[in-house]
Amino acid sequence: MTPFNLPSFVGNELDYITKAIALGQLSGDGQFTKLCSQSIVAQTGAQDALLTHSCTAALEMAAILSDIQPGDEVIMPSFTFVSTANAVALRGGVPVFVDIDPVSLNLCPEQTQLAITSKTRAIFAVHYASVIAEMDVLAEISTDHGLLLVEDAAQAFGASFKGRKAGSFGDLAAFSFHETKNIVSGEGGALVINRPDLVERAEIIREKGTNRSRFMRGSVDKYTWVDIGSSFLPGELIAAFLYGQLEKARQITDRRRVICDRYAAGLASLAERGRVRLPAPMPDRTGNGHMFYLLMRDRADRDTFITAMREREMTTPFHYVPLHSAPAGLKFGRAVGPMTVTDAISASLVRLPLYYTMTDAQQDNVIAEILQILA
Ligand SMILES: Cc1ncc(COP(=O)(O)O)c(C=O)c1O
């Protein structure tokens, strides 16, 4: 069976786990957590980074930091993972779903503008497939309306837009280090913060609503409950593994980009014949090789393709089921404007196998089968 994803072990992950055990601190915020934070800041150009146990957790922290009150609205694409919307719904807020751009597959700025009401508090932009959303336009909209801008950069570690890295655009940004991403720690994530005035509260929220971080730095003599919060930090063994990966981020990203380029070249003839659509090159954006997808003619065509690939023992999943029409989306959220692109993309997109250790021969085999199925 050709897997869709395989987590890779490329650096000193095991050595660092051994070191973390020898250091004797297994709970969070030890030496490896600090090293990871420094590495994330250095690699993203963000101001501050707090390790979390998932991107979901980082998004929940972002929603608390956005001060969303019951009934407040947050604009986001419908074409995203459930965590983007859950974070808002958990605060009693209303996820307001808008359509995506047909080329970037990211939040459409025009629809975002139209969805703003007096209740809008924030925009949660998603960098789908590591293509960074229109952050300059979205930043202008956010500033004009006094909204917080949050990047759901789950898939985008190392991606850039006009020379700036994912995580450096929003007031806040959330990364994922889940094993399906490029840089992994099994489960894992980070909240990066570009507003110095939000750092202290973020630390408190992450430490169960206490000022324990200040206590650990010696700036208060006891720690106490000062705000709402939860346990959002990972333990040191996770951080040790992650640090081994972060050190190799460049190597992992470069290889995955090569795999994406090989897919684009190997499948170009299908696109030229109009049989499929491939991810559109966007000259001002550099992805991180996270994902390669095909856009098929319609749902039936896509499902037939997935079945044919499965018969050849190749896993080619699809996502996302649009949130605006999902049961919880209907219950907690609201859609604004047409959802034509979201519905069409959701029905026709299929993802191809892609992992760091995928050999050229394995990939050529996948390409050959696809060319045969779609001949
Ligand atoms: C856009 C997006 N946001 C959030 C998440 C959640 O990430 P995690 O599994 O680290 O919580 C994902 C996971 O795939 C994602 O794709």
Side-chain angles (χ1 to χ4, degrees), residues 275-293:
R275 183 63 190 85
V276 298
R277 233 179 83 195
L278 304 181
M282 304 201 69
D284 55 4
R285 270 155 259 218
T286 311
N288 62 9
H290 174 58
M291 190 192 299
F292 196 88
Y293 60 81

Side-chain angles (χ1 to χ4, degrees), residues 199-218:
V199 173
E200 189 177 338
R201 185 158 189 235
E203 286 179 346
I204 289 168
I205 291 165
R206 179 168 166 270
E207 269 284 18
K208 302 106 185 160
T210 73
N211 54 0
R212 184 167 183 274
S213 300
R214 293 192 68 202
F215 170 71
M216 297 306 281
R217 287 195 293 267

Side-chain angles (χ1 to χ4, degrees), residues 38-101:
Q38 287 162 5
S39 175
I40 292 165
V41 165
Q43 294 192 53
T44 58
Q47 290 180 19
D48 242 296
L50 295 178
L51 230 52
T52 57
H53 53 69
S54 61
C55 179
T56 300
L59 289 165
E60 287 174 19
M61 287 180 65
I64 298 174
L65 286 164
S66 304
D67 254 330
I68 297 165
Q69 303 299 316
D72 284 351
E73 298 177 352
V74 175
I75 300 170
M76 64 183 66
S78 168
F79 189 68
T80 180
F81 191 62
V82 296
S83 298
T84 326
N86 251 327
V88 173
L90 279 165
R91 308 257 41 88
V94 181
V96 173
F97 302 115
V98 301
D99 211 353
I100 48 170
D101 176 86

Side-chain angles (χ1 to χ4, degrees), residues 293-351:
Y293 60 81
L294 303 178
L295 293 170
M296 311 295 289
R297 287 176 179 150
D298 53 28
R299 188 183 300 275
D301 189 33
R302 192 261 310 271
D303 293 350
T304 306
F305 173 77
I306 291 176
T307 306
M309 289 295 276
R310 199 179 302 128
E311 282 163 7
R312 288 161 172 80
E313 306 211 310
M314 294 186 182
T315 320
T316 50
F318 67 86
H319 72 177
Y320 298 109
V321 179
L323 297 185
H324 71 278
S325 50
L330 293 168
K331 186 170 174 191
F332 300 115
R334 157 170 97 71
V336 173
M339 285 293 170
T340 336
V341 183
T342 297
D343 287 332
I345 296 294
S346 167
S348 60
L349 187 142
V350 59
R351 300 173 63 182

Side-chain angles (χ1 to χ4, degrees), residues 80-144:
T80 180
F81 191 62
V82 296
S83 298
T84 326
N86 251 327
V88 173
L90 279 165
R91 308 257 41 88
V94 181
V96 173
F97 302 115
V98 301
D99 211 353
I100 48 170
D101 176 86
V103 177
S104 71
L105 309 192
N106 283 328
L107 195 57
C108 170
E110 290 77 30
Q111 292 299 327
T112 301
Q113 179 84 55
L114 292 173
I116 293 174
T117 71
S118 59
K119 291 185 172 171
T120 310
R121 291 288 162 267
I123 298 172
F124 281 20
V126 177
H127 304 322
Y128 181 71
S130 81
V131 173
I132 294 184
E134 291 295 331
M135 292 311 285
D136 39 10
V137 185
L138 293 173
E140 242 173 69
I141 296 174
S142 306
T143 308
D144 288 351

